[in-house]
Amino acid sequence: MRASDIMGKPVRCRDGEAGRVIDMRVDTDTPPGAEVAELRLAGLVVSPRRWGSTVGYDRQDDRGPWLIWWIVHRLHRSDRYVGWDLVRSWADGMVQVDAAVGELPGVPALPPRAT
């Protein structure tokens, strides 16, 4: 699977459409002794709006100008997070989710950047 297979696709829940995929969240798994971390898809960020992402304003420690931060968070307040374990399929141009729209949590903030 490639990110382009899912990005921008509509997301259908048990009770209707939740929006479109605007971002993907990954976790890193580093086996003992490995020099390179393996990436694992953890979930999808879904927005009922048709445009854009949070352009980095979803990080806890990197808020930038407060007015832009406030606008971005206001526009994305209805975004939802779909854990990868809830995704049933992503074929035929649509992501099928095994949950109701109201059961999906808000988007968790990204952790601070590693220094």
Side-chain angles (χ1 to χ4, degrees), residues 12-14 82 85-88 96-100 103-104:
R12 164 104 32 220
C13 292
R14 289 191 307 241
V82 177
D85 58 326
L86 294 175
V87 174
R88 294 297 162 237
Q96 297 284 339
V97 175
D98 189 22
E103 296 172 348
L104 299 176

Side-chain angles (χ1 to χ4, degrees), residues 4 7 20 47 75 86 92:
S4 61
M7 291 297 295
R20 294 185 175 273
S47 179
L75 291 172
L86 294 175
D92 302 324

Side-chain angles (χ1 to χ4, degrees), residues 7-80:
M7 291 297 295
K9 301 294 188 260
V11 175
R12 164 104 32 220
C13 292
R14 289 191 307 241
D15 59 346
E17 194 165 319
R20 294 185 175 273
V21 178
I22 63 166
D23 201 0
M24 301 170 84
R25 298 282 173 94
V26 296
D27 285 334
T28 56
D29 294 325
T30 308
E35 293 184 22
V36 178
E38 295 178 14
L39 298 178
R40 178 179 48 83
L41 184 57
L44 307 172
V45 177
V46 178
S47 179
R49 303 195 185 285
R50 290 200 155 273
W51 58 271
S53 69
T54 59
V55 291
Y57 282 91
D58 51 354
R59 290 210 171 266
Q60 292 174 348
D61 67 337
D62 195 12
R63 300 204 176 181
W66 73 268
L67 181 58
I68 295 173
W69 179 89
W70 183 84
I71 290 169
V72 168
H73 278 266
R74 184 86 176 142
L75 291 172
H76 286 276
R77 68 186 177 276
S78 57
D79 290 0
R80 296 285 167 244

